[in-house]
């Protein structure tokens, strides 16, 4: 083995085993990224070089089209197209007019379909073009310099190129001498790596001024506060999908995902900007009150009271991308939920996940062998802790060759899977995109023989280093690769698995241990002649799309796939769940998991979670307990740990720790009917499954910076313990006319604002909103599959008017038959001392579940009995119990089918 190979293997071992903090020097700053430095240096006070050509303006029945000139280059003409879209949305595209030296990439993969246009009305004069959309929206295009003003109900809402920072660098031959401002544009070095940049400078940029907003959100994935901070004096927020070990917190470094969606929110309305570009992108933020650390509710209110607004405080964003075209959407709300709906209509929503995926997952790098898997899952039963999914990391493979099994440690994979499924459980295995360069490996040979690999700048197969050592990378831009990769998931090709194995796509940024910034060189070449710099941020999405297609075909389109991905982009929600990557067993990483997942949720990716307990290092008992209590209320609920950490299965601690972890997991299982119904609503409407408080209470400005509390749907307020040695917690209870009921005691809280609450180690501060009805299942089972026919308990929490509403969605929990009408949808209403259940869709699906109990919370002690009427039939008397301490009336055993129409009347 030569010395270079020794060095690389040592480097791989270091990365895999002992290094637990990020080396910032391995990743670029804006100053080291030539195009970012160049575009950021533009002076917003200078005159813009871009002007509309007045005589070129044409309005068709679908869009407005015009030419834009660059006054610095007489021979450069750009074509602009502005579309008015359904649901108060605009789209603007700018590309080079006519032939180009190289095609510019457009990541249409992010869009669920071609957006539907709506007609606009045009008027114009010598200096301005005016467009009207849907009567309430007006767009004014200034001809020279080119800029847009967007008005909603006669109020300026958002301005485009108001700071004159638009840029569109055109491809051109390399000049004999390079101007000072373009040094690094034709060749660039970072550490020992050269980026040849054979196509020269091609950056695009645009600035947005959000006049109606006071705070900005979104731009995931970054380990930062929910409300975006000003970047003056610091690096912009970076979008460049990277493998970052134990990332630093509260900065804008690029991480594993890139969702270039920005939301502005103000007291009057909310707006959104979606920058559709898959290249490296930096986003400067200005005009917002920045936080240098996590914002507590107390700090948020202090900032609000002390702050004063001037013109310079108007929030603004400056998007800078290395290449591609200018292509952005403006969503005009007016409320936060409207903006997410509008954005979701563009990029899609998550299809309803199989129910097991919303339950608890157990993972580590790595479970040693089949016996280890069996022992762990069996111990969950021994200790009476529910668990749905066992996970296998890279060591299950034969020498890191994916779609294979270790012939000794996992010699009988089918037996292992069948043992799990016999107990109602599933298995997830990891499949990474790097392919081991081994002449005895079928996949490597197939890729070489069929030209399936990414090429280097010289046209040869690119070779990098990852877990297997020498590796090459499938080119998912190639339709042949997509088809081939999907076929590998068939039961005939992936020997051993059944339809009960699901997939984890990791390391798909892509991670290259010896590459620049631990990823693939930008001058590598993909199918279609695109450079890697053009498509980098969608590489992981392209892998996930092929995986999804493979799992779909594996069951002939019958079963819903479940995939977890680390790399993500806009639109990933249509195919996979996401987690926050290689976090650490530290209170700060527990705390940051909330704003990270909330930012993803409001940006379309609701199915998010963080590794419970932290991936690196060893949590103490208190941190582990608090992490389980918090993780139980995030959509993706998985424990995971690094190969060098101590084993941390729940029963390996003292009796109290095991008890409290069991209690948190059981709480999650009891609420699975709520989680499932919320995900169905997300699929239909785009509403985030978890959401910041300001989403539900948009006019309450005190909520704008709160990211240590969140809502589950519009039903539960979660105020988790995120700090060490906490016995008392200050929570903010939103809403002027709201009642919040403690989920443990059902005691009412009618405070609007800050309130101290007890938070001992056995307390999970969660509150049900008055006016809601939560369906639960209270029986303890080993997995969600075994709960399918269990009875329901309905928790009716009445509001100040003694009214409550809720709903329940039921189907077979695993197939796509619900899209053929095979489901139950039930609405509940409590009014005038009656609980009314109406099954609005019940014809094509049968369920054995029934109503075991109804708990009416917050009701005075004036009722001594109840009756039930089923399907308009005769009345039957029911037994009721009343608890004077917490004002809960319990109706026991109505014993009515959950999908029947019935009315319970209190007497």
């Amino acid at each position: 083995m030569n010395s270079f190979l020794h060095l690389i293997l040592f480097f791989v071992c270091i990365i895999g085993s002992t290094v637990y903090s990020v080396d910032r020097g391995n990743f670029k700053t804006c100053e080291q990224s030539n195009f970012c430095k160049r575009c950021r240096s533009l002076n917003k006070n200078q005159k813009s070089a871009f002007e509309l050509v007045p005589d070129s303006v044409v309005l068709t029945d679908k869009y407005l089209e015009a030419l834009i000139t660059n006054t610095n280059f007489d021979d450069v003409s750009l074509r602009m197209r502005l579309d008015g879209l359904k649901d108060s949305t605009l789209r603007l595209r700018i590309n080079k007019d006519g032939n180009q030296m190289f095609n510019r990439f457009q990541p249409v993969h992010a869009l669920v379909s071609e957006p539907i246009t709506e007609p606009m009305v045009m008027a114009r004069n010598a200096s301005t073009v005016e467009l009207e959309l849907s009567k309430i929206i007006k767009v004014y295009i200034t001809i020279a310099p080119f800029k847009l003003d967007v008005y909603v109900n006669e109020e300026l809402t958002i301005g485009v190129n108001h700071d004159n920072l638009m840029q569109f660098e055109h491809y051109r031959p390399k000049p004999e001498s390079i101007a000072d401002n373009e040094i690094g544009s034709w060749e660039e070095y970072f550490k020992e790596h050269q980026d040849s940049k054979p196509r020269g400078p091609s950056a695009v940029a645009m600035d947005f001024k959000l006049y109606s907003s006071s705070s900005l959100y979104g731009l995931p994935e970054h380990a930062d506060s929910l409300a975006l901070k000003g970047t003056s004096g610091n690096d912009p927020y970076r979008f460049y999908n990277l493998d970052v070990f134990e990332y630093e917190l509260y900065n804008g470094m690029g991480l594993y995902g890139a969702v270039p969606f920005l939301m502005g929110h103000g007291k009057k309305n909310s707006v959104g900007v979606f920058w559709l570009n898959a290249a490296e992108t930096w986003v400067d933020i200005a005009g917002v009150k920045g936080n240098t650390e996590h914002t507590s509710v107390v700090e948020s209110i202090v900032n609000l009271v002390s702050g004063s607004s001037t013109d310079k405080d108007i929030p603004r964003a400056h998007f800078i991308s290395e290449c591609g075209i200018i292509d952005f959407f403006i969503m005009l709300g007016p409320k936060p939920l409207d903006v997410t709906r509008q954005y979701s209509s563009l990029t899609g929503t998550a299809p309803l996940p199989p129910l097991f995926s919303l339950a608890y997952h157990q993972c580590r790098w790595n479970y040693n062998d089949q016996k280890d898997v069996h022992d762990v899952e069996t111990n969950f039963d021994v200790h009476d802790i529910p668990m749905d999914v066992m996970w296998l990391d890279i060591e299950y493979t034969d020498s890191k060759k994916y779609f294979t099994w270790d012939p000794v440690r996992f010699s009988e994979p089918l037996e292992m899977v069948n043992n799990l499924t016999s107990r109602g459980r599933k298995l997830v295995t990891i499949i990474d995109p790097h392919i081991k360069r081994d002449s005895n490996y079928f996949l490597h040979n197939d890729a070489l023989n069929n030209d399936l690999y990414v090429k280097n700048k010289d046209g040869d197969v690119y070779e990098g280093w990852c877990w297997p050592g020498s590796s090459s990378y499938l080119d998912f831009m190639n339709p042949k690769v997509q088809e081939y990769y999907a076929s590998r998931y068939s039961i005939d090709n992936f020997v051993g698995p059944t339809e009960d194995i699901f997939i984890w796509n990791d390391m798909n940024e892509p991670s290259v241990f010896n590459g620049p910034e631990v990823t693939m060189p930008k001058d590598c070449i993909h199918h279609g002649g695109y450079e890697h710099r053009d498509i980098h941020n969608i590489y992981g999405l392209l892998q996930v799309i092929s995986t999804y297609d493979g799992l779909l075909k594996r069951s002939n389109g019958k079963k819903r796939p479940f995939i977890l991905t680390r790399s993500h982009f806009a639109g990933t929600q249509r195919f996979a769940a996401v987690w926050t990557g290689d976090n650490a067993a530290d209170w700060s990483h527990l705390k940051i998991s909330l704003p990270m997942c909330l930012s993803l949720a409001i940006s379309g990716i609701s199915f998010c979670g963080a590794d419970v307990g932290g991936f690196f290092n060893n949590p103490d008992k208190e941190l582990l307990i608090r992490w389980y209590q918090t993780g139980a209320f995030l959509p993706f609920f998985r424990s995971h740990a690094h190969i060098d950490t101590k084993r941390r299965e729940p029963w390996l601690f003292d009796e109290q720790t095991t008890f409290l972890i069991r209690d948190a997991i059981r709480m999650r299982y009891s609420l699975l009917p709520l989680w499932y119904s919320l995900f169905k609503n997300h699929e239909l409407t785009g509403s985030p499954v978890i959401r910041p408080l300001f989403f539900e209470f948009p006019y309450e400005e005190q909520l704008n910076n709160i990211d240590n509390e969140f809502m589950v749907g519009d039903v539960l307020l979660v105020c988790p313990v995120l700090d060490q040695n906490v016995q008392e917690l200050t929570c903010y209870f939103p809403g002027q006319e709201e009642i919040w009921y403690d989920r443990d005691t059902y005691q009412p809280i009618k405070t609007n604002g800050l309130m101290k609450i007890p938070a001992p180690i056995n307390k999970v501060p969660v509150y049900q909103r008055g006016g809601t009805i939560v369906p639960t299942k209270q029986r303890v089972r080993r997995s969600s599959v075994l709960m399918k026919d269990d009875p329901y308990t309905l928790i009716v929490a009445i509001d100040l008017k003694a009214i409550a509403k809720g709903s329940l969605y039921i189907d077979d929990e695993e197939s796509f038959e619900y899209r053929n009408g095979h489901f139950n949808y039930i609405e509940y209403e409590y009014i005038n001392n009656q609980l009314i259940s109406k099954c609005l869709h019940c014809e094509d699906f049968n369920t054995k579940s029934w109503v075991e109990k109804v708990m009416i919370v917050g009701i005075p002690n004036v009722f001594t009995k109840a009756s039930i009427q089923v399907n308009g039939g005769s009345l039957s008397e029911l037994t009721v119990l009343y608890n004077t301490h917490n004002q809960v009336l319990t109706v026991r055993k109505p014993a009515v089918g959950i999908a029947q129409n019935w009315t319970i009347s209190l007497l």
Side-chain angles (χ1 to χ4, degrees):
M1 186 182 294
N2 62 44
S3 59
F4 176 74
L5 185 54
H6 273 296
L7 178 64
I8 291 297
L9 290 178
F10 174 75
F11 177 54
V12 169
C13 291
I14 288 290
I15 288 178
S17 300
T18 60
V19 176
Y20 294 136
S21 61
V22 62
D23 181 355
R24 287 290 296 273
N26 286 330
F27 304 99
K28 286 184 179 181
T29 63
C30 178
E31 190 72 14
Q32 294 168 315
S33 185
N34 181 265
F35 79 92
C36 180
K37 177 182 177 181
R38 191 166 64 248
C39 290
R40 203 184 194 197
S41 67
L42 293 174
N43 186 347
K44 69 178 183 180
N45 295 318
Q46 70 186 11
K47 180 181 178 182
S48 173
F50 298 95
E51 298 180 357
L52 203 70
V53 178
D55 294 341
S56 69
V57 177
V58 175
L59 179 66
T60 73
D61 59 341
K62 292 186 176 181
Y63 56 85
L64 178 139
E65 194 171 58
L67 295 179
I68 295 176
T69 59
N70 182 340
T71 56
N72 293 331
F73 296 91
D74 294 336
D75 60 340
V76 175
S77 181
L78 306 175
R79 184 164 295 277
M80 181 204 77
R81 171 171 165 169
L82 177 66
D83 293 27
L85 305 179
K86 291 187 66 176
D87 201 3
S88 301
T89 302
L90 301 166
R91 182 184 192 181
L92 188 140
R93 282 168 281 186
I94 300 174
N95 200 352
K96 177 78 165 54
D97 186 46
N99 295 328
Q100 303 188 63
M101 292 176 63
F102 305 100
N103 289 330
R104 288 182 176 258
F105 182 67
Q106 300 178 53
V108 294
H109 313 76
L111 302 178
V112 67
S113 61
E114 183 64 25
I116 300 174
T117 60
E118 284 199 344
M120 298 181 288
V121 177
M122 182 175 74
R124 56 179 299 177
N125 55 41
S127 61
T128 307
V129 176
E130 178 183 338
L131 297 166
E132 184 178 290
L133 174 70
S134 303
K135 295 185 179 180
I136 64 169
I137 298 170
K138 290 185 178 180
V139 181
Y140 296 90
I141 306 175
T142 302
I143 290 175
F146 168 74
K147 68 177 182 179
L148 268 73
D149 303 324
V150 181
Y151 285 76
V152 179
N153 291 322
E154 306 301 327
E155 183 172 348
L156 180 58
T157 299
I158 187 168
V160 179
N161 201 33
H162 277 206
D163 287 337
N164 298 318
L165 299 178
M166 175 181 168
Q167 184 60 277
F168 197 106
E169 297 177 336
H170 59 285
Y171 291 121
R172 56 196 186 277
K174 184 176 180 179
E176 292 185 4
S177 62
I178 306 296
D180 289 343
N181 67 338
E182 288 193 337
I183 293 176
S185 298
W186 301 89
E187 184 179 50
E188 187 172 5
Y189 287 86
F190 179 66
K191 302 183 77 172
E192 71 276 17
H193 300 284
Q194 180 207 35
D195 179 3
S196 62
K197 293 190 174 181
R199 303 178 183 185
S202 55
V204 295
M206 187 67 79
D207 64 84
F208 302 87
K209 204 166 185 178
L210 291 83
Y211 288 92
S212 63
S213 301
S214 57
S215 300
L216 301 181
Y217 307 93
L219 300 186
E221 180 182 41
H222 298 98
D224 209 345
S225 56
L226 176 65
L228 299 176
K229 299 179 297 194
T231 55
S232 176
N234 296 302
D235 263 5
Y237 288 95
R238 189 186 189 194
F239 285 123
Y240 195 60
N241 293 357
L242 294 169
D243 181 356
V244 184
F245 290 85
E246 196 178 347
Y247 42 82
E248 293 181 2
L249 309 185
Y250 301 106
N251 65 57
M253 280 185 66
L255 292 181
Y256 314 100
V259 186
F261 167 80
L262 176 74
M263 176 179 286
H265 173 65
K267 193 170 183 179
K268 290 186 178 180
N269 74 337
S270 300
V271 298
V273 176
F274 172 35
W275 179 263
L276 184 53
N277 193 300
E280 180 185 354
T281 298
W282 301 76
V283 186
D284 258 322
I285 297 295
V288 294
K289 293 181 175 65
N291 307 312
T292 57
E293 270 295 334
H294 165 78
T295 303
S296 70
V297 291
V298 177
E299 293 167 329
S300 176
I301 294 172
V302 169
N303 291 338
L304 175 71
V305 172
S306 62
S308 59
S309 178
T310 64
D311 182 68
K312 71 176 183 178
D313 294 325
I314 296 171
R316 48 178 71 83
H318 180 203
F319 285 79
I320 305 167
S321 293
E322 184 172 17
C323 48
I325 73 168
I326 293 176
D327 187 358
F328 61 84
F329 298 81
I330 296 174
M331 290 72 69
L332 294 167
K335 294 182 180 179
L337 284 169
D338 297 315
V339 175
T340 56
R341 183 192 68 247
Q342 292 155 355
Y343 172 72
S344 296
S345 72
L346 301 171
T347 63
T349 59
L352 183 63
L355 182 67
F356 77 82
S357 66
L358 301 179
Y360 174 66
H361 302 247
Q362 183 67 33
C363 183
R364 77 173 276 108
W365 176 24
N366 203 85
Y367 286 115
N368 300 322
D369 50 32
Q370 289 174 212
K371 183 179 183 304
D372 197 10
V373 172
H374 177 73
D375 290 346
V376 170
E377 73 102 5
T378 301
N379 266 301
F380 274 93
D381 295 340
V382 170
H383 295 278
D384 212 12
I385 303 172
M387 186 271 290
D388 263 62
V389 193
M390 289 291 296
W391 289 58
L392 291 177
D393 212 314
I394 56 178
E395 312 301 335
Y396 81 92
T397 62
D398 179 7
S399 303
K400 312 298 188 301
K401 293 182 287 190
Y402 302 108
F403 302 101
T404 71
W405 298 86
D406 185 288
V408 176
R409 292 180 295 173
F410 294 93
S411 59
E412 298 293 338
L414 186 57
E415 177 185 334
M416 177 178 59
V417 175
N418 288 339
N419 285 338
L420 286 168
T421 56
S422 68
R423 296 170 179 266
R425 294 182 171 125
K426 313 291 184 185
L427 182 70
V428 168
T429 58
I430 198 167
I431 302 282
D432 293 346
H434 49 261
I435 305 302
K436 184 173 184 175
R437 295 182 60 85
D438 182 338
S439 60
N440 294 317
Y441 182 21
F442 70 88
L443 208 159
H444 174 62
N445 292 333
D446 287 351
L448 283 180
N449 294 335
N450 295 285
D451 193 23
L452 305 182
Y453 279 140
V454 176
K455 305 295 196 305
N456 64 23
K457 64 179 180 179
D458 300 318
D460 300 320
V461 171
Y462 171 69
E463 180 180 348
W465 285 80
C466 207
W467 297 128
S470 178
S471 304
S472 290
Y473 294 75
L474 294 173
D475 182 5
F476 293 103
M477 282 288 292
N478 188 338
K480 285 199 310 183
V481 173
Q482 297 166 14
E483 182 178 354
Y484 172 81
Y485 199 70
S487 74
R488 300 319 311 170
Y489 289 101
S490 74
I491 292 174
D492 291 338
N493 285 334
F494 190 4
V495 179
T498 71
E499 291 180 2
D500 291 303
I501 282 191
F502 297 87
I503 301 300
W504 175 13
N505 287 151
D506 195 9
M507 310 294 286
N508 52 350
E509 292 75 27
S511 179
V512 184
F513 292 158
N514 64 333
E517 300 192 90
V518 201
T519 193
M520 187 177 290
K522 289 182 175 179
D523 52 11
C524 283
I525 303 298
H526 290 268
H527 178 80
Y530 294 107
E531 288 188 296
H532 187 70
R533 81 182 74 250
D534 296 305
I535 68 100
H536 175 82
N537 285 342
I538 66 161
Y539 183 85
L541 171 59
L542 294 173
Q543 183 201 12
V544 166
I545 291 173
S546 297
T547 299
Y548 189 90
D549 185 41
L551 295 187
L552 204 59
K553 290 176 178 176
R554 185 181 69 180
S555 68
N556 294 317
K558 294 179 180 179
K559 287 194 174 181
R560 302 172 220 166
F562 169 71
I563 303 166
L564 181 72
T565 181
R566 191 169 71 175
S567 177
H568 50 279
F569 189 69
T572 291
Q573 65 270 14
R574 305 198 306 272
F575 309 100
V578 166
W579 92 108
T580 61
D582 294 342
N583 59 2
D586 187 88
W587 288 93
S588 62
H589 278 260
L590 167 60
K591 190 177 296 184
I592 203 68
S593 66
L594 299 190
M596 288 182 77
C597 279
L598 287 170
S599 294
L600 281 164
I602 69 174
S603 305
I605 303 178
S606 271
F607 206 170
C608 171
D611 286 342
V612 171
F615 178 63
F616 288 114
N617 303 333
N618 300 300
D620 61 24
K621 294 183 292 185
E622 182 188 7
L623 175 58
L624 190 63
I625 290 166
R626 292 304 194 188
W627 212 315
Y628 268 97
Q629 291 173 343
T630 303
F633 287 93
L634 292 179
F636 179 57
F637 186 24
R638 181 186 74 157
S639 173
H640 186 38
H642 188 275
I643 196 169
D644 286 344
T645 61
K646 298 176 183 178
R647 296 289 286 256
R648 61 172 82 146
E649 287 78 25
W651 51 87
L652 297 179
F653 300 86
D654 60 77
E655 185 176 347
Q656 182 196 40
T657 302
T658 300
F659 175 84
L660 292 175
I661 291 174
R662 178 194 296 121
D663 194 52
I665 294 174
R666 285 183 176 181
M667 187 184 308
R668 171 58 167 236
Y669 277 74
S670 71
L671 289 169
L672 283 178
L674 173 64
W675 284 104
Y676 201 56
S677 297
L678 289 173
F679 265 93
K680 178 58 182 175
N681 184 58
H682 165 79
E683 182 183 28
L684 294 175
T685 68
S687 297
V689 174
I690 58 169
R691 56 195 72 164
L693 303 191
F694 77 83
F695 256 61
E696 286 302 312
F697 304 92
Y699 306 120
E700 204 162 336
E701 292 180 277
Q702 293 91 334
L703 306 178
N704 286 2
N705 288 334
I706 292 177
D707 60 11
N708 61 347
E709 302 177 37
F710 62 98
M711 297 286 296
V712 176
D714 60 354
V715 178
L716 299 180
L717 172 66
V718 184
C719 185
V721 177
L722 304 172
D723 294 293
Q724 193 171 16
N725 299 324
V726 167
Q727 295 295 317
E728 186 179 66
L729 200 62
T730 300
C731 288
Y732 191 98
F733 291 89
Q736 298 287 337
E737 302 291 332
E738 298 287 342
I739 305 178
W740 300 93
Y741 296 94
D742 188 308
R743 280 273 301 159
D744 295 324
T745 66
Y746 298 111
Q747 293 294 337
I749 295 174
K750 299 180 182 179
T751 299
N752 175 220
L754 295 173
M755 181 176 177
K756 288 187 175 181
I757 58 171
I761 192 65
N762 64 342
K763 176 66 177 175
V764 187
V766 178
Y767 302 87
Q768 183 173 340
R769 187 179 186 178
T772 66
I773 299 174
V774 173
T776 68
K777 287 188 175 183
Q778 303 290 346
R779 298 191 181 180
V780 177
R781 303 288 191 186
R782 67 162 58 103
S783 71
S784 66
V785 172
L786 304 179
M787 298 169 62
K788 187 172 184 178
D789 295 327
D790 280 356
Y792 288 85
T793 293
L794 303 177
I795 301 176
V796 181
I798 64 174
D799 63 12
L800 292 173
K801 298 178 181 178
I803 294 173
K805 293 182 179 181
S807 61
L808 173 63
Y809 174 83
I810 306 172
D811 63 18
D812 66 17
E813 302 174 357
E814 64 175 2
S815 81
F816 284 103
E817 283 300 304
Y818 73 94
R819 292 182 174 174
N820 297 321
H822 300 295
F823 65 88
N824 294 159
Y825 178 73
I826 305 152
E827 285 190 349
Y828 302 104
E829 183 177 22
Y830 180 84
I831 189 170
N832 297 328
N833 305 321
Q834 290 185 322
L835 177 61
I836 303 165
S837 173
K838 292 182 179 178
C839 193
L840 301 185
H841 190 285
C842 288
E843 295 79 15
D844 299 316
F845 182 77
N846 295 318
T847 175
K848 297 178 182 178
S849 294
W850 50 285
V851 182
E852 184 175 42
K853 190 192 306 181
V854 173
M855 300 173 66
I856 303 174
V857 182
I859 191 169
N861 186 15
V862 296
F863 302 102
T864 59
K865 57 183 179 178
S867 65
I868 186 169
Q869 184 180 39
V870 182
N871 293 328
S874 58
L875 296 175
S876 301
E877 191 169 322
L878 299 173
T879 303
V880 302
L881 298 174
Y882 188 79
N883 186 322
T884 56
H885 176 68
N886 57 14
Q887 292 191 312
V888 176
L889 185 145
T890 302
V891 181
R892 299 181 61 192
K893 293 187 177 180
V896 61
I898 192 68
Q900 291 182 279
N901 294 321
W902 48 264
T903 300
I904 292 177
S905 302
L906 303 184
L907 307 171

